[in-house]
């Protein structure tokens, strides 16, 4: 017997994570233009010109406020606990959930999602949490946790766990799925980090920069968790899907004005990122028609964005004034997403 969840509306929470200043940025003498106060408020400052900023004269400033904002020093665990624990709880009750990292290339998306062996990110911490909670709650000790990890690059879908030919999207009763996608049955957290690191190495690289993940690559981890609980009468099967998405660099989406939804002619736009913004706009405006069909990314995430599911956006930003424009754009985007 399947269980129905009571709450049917969609909910979105928006967070900002500021990464520490990088070595290169420090060496070029860049200054911090972002300040986070009270774990919520983000102050962005623009220095008018070189001479002005030497005099520390602040010219333009803006203030943003989010569900929570994480300063440089925030640990991976704290980011996970604040942003994703509730989503995982929902998934364990059968409510789909998704977590997106959005931001310019170099802003910290992959660090937040995947992290390192020493400092595993949201993907790994979420799976660890899922395993431990399922084991506590499963009525008969049985469960299944299936992982798939895929990439959308140039509107082509690829399996990151089993690289090869592009995958075709199909629509069936379960929604839109990539035909032939590997579903890896995970038994422990330990194997997951290695699996994801390997998957990440399979992401498309820019031809000119062989070891660097392309800034236009989206990586999507989908986790389907199933287990059984027992109430006084029945055994109930709980199935939930968690999607964790490391989006392509948003700098190309600069060519899109979120307010007017106009794209700048001739710019090399990432169609999936643009389509995601359009869906968010439609959701913000309460439209009945959400244009999921416009890209591979939005088709794949149709059941995880809008509708009865929980969504989290983590906007990643750099502190450096050299990235001022990208940071400003990311904060505007996140501010807009907040309205859903
Ligand atoms: P993106 O995926 O957005 O392009 P990365 O996650 O690769 O950016 O981050 C760029 C660099 O900054 C990497 O070297 C990464 O290790 C480092 N970095 C990002 N966020 C943090 C953080 N919160 N703490 C420490 N280092 C970070
Ligand atoms: Mg990355």
């Amino acid at each position: 017997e399947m269980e129905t969840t009571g709450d049917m509306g969609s909910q979105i929470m928006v967070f900002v994570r500021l990464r520490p200043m990088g070595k290169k940025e420090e060496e070029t003498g860049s200054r911090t233009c972002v300040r986070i106060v009270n774990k919520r408020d983000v102050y962005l400052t623009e220095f008018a010109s070189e001479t002005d900023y030497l005099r520390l004269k602040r010219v333009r400033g803006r203030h943003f406020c989010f569900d929570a904002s994480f300063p440089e020093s925030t640990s991976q665990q704290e980011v996970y606990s604040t942003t994703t624990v509730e989503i995982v709880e929902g998934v364990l009750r059968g409510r789909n959930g998704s977590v997106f990292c959005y931001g310019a290339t170099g802003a910290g998306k992959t660090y937040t999602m995947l992290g390192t062996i020493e400092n595993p990110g949201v993907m790994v911490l979420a799976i660890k949490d899922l395993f431990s909670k399922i084991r506590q709650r499963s009525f008969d000790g049985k469960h299944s946790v299936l992982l798939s990890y895929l990439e959308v690059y140039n509107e082509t879908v690829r399996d990151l766990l089993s690289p090869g030919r592009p995958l075709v999207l199909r629509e069936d009763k379960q929604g839109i799925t990539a035909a032939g996608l590997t579903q890896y049955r995970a038994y422990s957290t330990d194997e997951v980090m290695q699996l994801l690191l390997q998957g990440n190495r399979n992401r498309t690289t820019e031809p000119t920069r062989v070891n660097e993940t392309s800034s236009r690559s989206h990586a999507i981890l989908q986790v389907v968790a199933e287990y059984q609980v027992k109430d006084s009468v029945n055994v109930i099967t709980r199935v939930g899907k968690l999607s964790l998405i490391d989006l392509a660099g948003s700098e190309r989406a600069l060519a899109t004005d979120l307010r007017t939804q106009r794209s700048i002619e001739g710019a090399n736009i990432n169609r999936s990122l643009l389509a995601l913004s359009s869906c968010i706009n439609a959701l913000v405006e309460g439209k009945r028609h959400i244009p999921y069909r416009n890209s591979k990314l939005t088709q794949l995430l149709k059941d995880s964005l809008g509708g009865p599911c929980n969504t989290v956006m983590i906007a990643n930003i750099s502190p450096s004034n050299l990235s001022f424009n990208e940071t400003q754009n990311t904060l505007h985007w996140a501010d807009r997403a907040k309205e859903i």
Side-chain angles (χ1 to χ4, degrees), residues 64-76:
F64 300 85
C65 186
F66 298 96
D67 289 299
S69 304
F70 304 110
E72 296 96 314
S73 56
T74 313
S75 69
Q76 298 280 66

Side-chain angles (χ1 to χ4, degrees), residues 149-315:
Y149 197 24
L150 47 92
E151 176 187 65
V152 175
Y153 175 79
N154 263 347
E155 292 308 294
T156 302
V157 181
R158 284 207 164 78
D159 191 342
L160 290 175
L161 297 184
S162 167
R165 289 166 187 280
L167 304 179
V168 176
L169 298 189
R170 296 233 174 91
E171 182 147 29
D172 59 22
K173 272 185 217 142
Q174 263 128 61
I176 294 172
T177 51
L181 180 66
T182 308
Q183 290 211 299
Y184 180 89
R185 196 179 167 122
Y187 292 95
S188 74
T189 320
D190 300 337
E191 61 187 325
V192 167
M193 186 70 196
Q194 286 307 327
L195 190 76
L196 296 182
L197 283 170
Q198 181 55 50
N200 217 54
R201 281 192 287 271
N202 292 332
R203 288 176 74 176
T204 303
T205 50
E206 225 81 77
T208 47
R209 300 171 156 208
V210 179
N211 290 314
E212 260 174 62
T213 302
S214 169
S215 60
R216 293 198 282 159
S217 159
H218 305 274
I220 306 167
L221 173 69
Q222 293 198 309
V223 186
V224 177
E226 181 172 339
Y227 68 110
Q228 297 191 314
V229 292
K230 198 176 178 203
D231 65 16
S232 51
V233 204
N234 298 308
V235 172
I236 299 162
T237 301
R238 287 182 162 178
V239 189
K241 182 158 90 175
L242 175 65
S243 303
L244 303 167
I245 303 108
D246 181 355
L247 289 169
S250 58
E251 60 276 5
R252 299 192 191 253
L254 288 187
T256 316
D257 185 338
L258 256 181
R259 279 150 213 279
T260 61
Q261 275 210 52
R262 284 243 191 86
S263 55
I264 292 160
E265 221 50 58
N268 190 0
I269 291 162
N270 185 312
R271 180 199 262 251
S272 277
L273 208 51
L274 185 61
L276 177 66
S277 294
S278 303
C279 287
I280 288 174
N281 263 310
L283 289 164
V284 165
E285 283 158 18
K287 294 219 171 98
R288 279 182 59 199
H289 173 71
I290 311 298
Y292 295 109
R293 298 206 125 265
N294 287 353
S295 78
K296 294 290 188 331
L297 179 76
T298 48
Q299 285 177 56
L300 283 164
L301 296 172
K302 192 177 169 184
D303 60 0
S304 309
L305 189 67
C309 63
N310 297 325
T311 304
V312 158
M313 294 283 173
I314 304 173

Side-chain angles (χ1 to χ4, degrees), residues 17-20 72 104-112 246:
R17 184 182 200 180
L18 177 64
R19 72 157 164 76
E72 296 96 314
T105 300
K109 298 180 298 296
T110 303
Y111 184 87
T112 298
D246 181 355

Side-chain angles (χ1 to χ4, degrees), residues 46-88:
E46 183 177 24
F47 302 104
S49 68
E50 195 123 324
T51 44
D52 273 339
Y53 88 64
L54 287 174
R55 282 190 271 123
L56 291 179
K57 186 180 171 197
R58 283 165 186 185
V59 173
R60 265 204 290 158
R62 261 218 68 178
H63 166 236
F64 300 85
C65 186
F66 298 96
D67 289 299
S69 304
F70 304 110
E72 296 96 314
S73 56
T74 313
S75 69
Q76 298 280 66
Q77 186 61 51
E78 187 178 344
V79 170
Y80 173 73
S81 306
T82 312
T83 61
T84 311
V85 163
E86 286 302 313
I87 298 270
V88 165

